[in-house]
Amino acid sequence: MPWPAHTVLIAADRLVLAEGLAATLGKEYTIVGQVHVLEQLRSAVERSTPDVVILDISFHGESSLRELKQLTADPAMASRFVVLTGLESPALASAAFDAGAMAFLQKGSGVHELRMAIEAAM
């Protein structure tokens, strides 16, 4: 069964991660952009209005949860957020959901799990 054609913005500080996600997800979703600097996240989301943002939890050692909380608190924000992390931490997952994430996924997860997280976020 094909996945619906949702639009996705990828926000990750590591170019290899972002490009890998774009190449993998671009086969089934419309990739509307990539963000590699946390300070550019809000403007990229507002400009591209993606259905889903894949958000790395760490940008050059800085947590993206504060920005996530600000974005999801904005009533005009329609995008949903899937948070990725390299850490296994229930407390971190809880903090991500508290900040407004719709799904939380470890970077070691497979493509199928990532697709499921995108669909769950929608």
Side-chain angles (χ1 to χ4, degrees), residues 10-26 31 33-36:
I10 298 168
D13 62 341
R14 306 248 187 264
L15 192 57
V16 159
L17 174 62
E19 288 181 350
L21 288 170
T24 300
L25 295 174
I31 307 302
Q34 295 181 27
V35 175
H36 307 290

Side-chain angles (χ1 to χ4, degrees), residues 65 68-70 72-73 83 90-102 104:
L65 293 182
L68 172 61
K69 189 169 189 162
Q70 291 173 354
T72 57
V83 173
L92 195 55
S94 180
F97 286 119
D98 288 347
M102 299 302 292
F104 182 85

Side-chain angles (χ1 to χ4, degrees), residues 3-64:
W3 297 93
H6 296 302
T7 56
V8 176
L9 175 72
I10 298 168
D13 62 341
R14 306 248 187 264
L15 192 57
V16 159
L17 174 62
E19 288 181 350
L21 288 170
T24 300
L25 295 174
K27 297 170 187 167
E28 297 167 54
Y29 300 98
T30 301
I31 307 302
V32 294
Q34 295 181 27
V35 175
H36 307 290
V37 178
L38 188 57
E39 291 78 14
Q40 296 172 354
L41 180 60
R42 176 176 285 278
S43 64
V45 171
E46 289 172 347
R47 182 177 57 253
S48 63
T49 62
D51 295 318
V52 176
V53 177
I54 307 294
L55 178 62
D56 194 345
I57 203 160
S58 178
F59 275 74
H60 305 289
E62 180 183 350
S63 173
S64 62

Side-chain angles (χ1 to χ4, degrees), residues 83-116:
V83 173
L84 292 179
T85 183
L87 304 172
E88 187 173 335
S89 166
L92 195 55
S94 180
F97 286 119
D98 288 347
M102 299 302 292
F104 182 85
L105 200 61
Q106 289 188 300
K107 290 179 184 174
S109 299
V111 174
H112 179 71
E113 288 85 0
L114 182 54
R115 286 185 197 125
M116 289 184 65

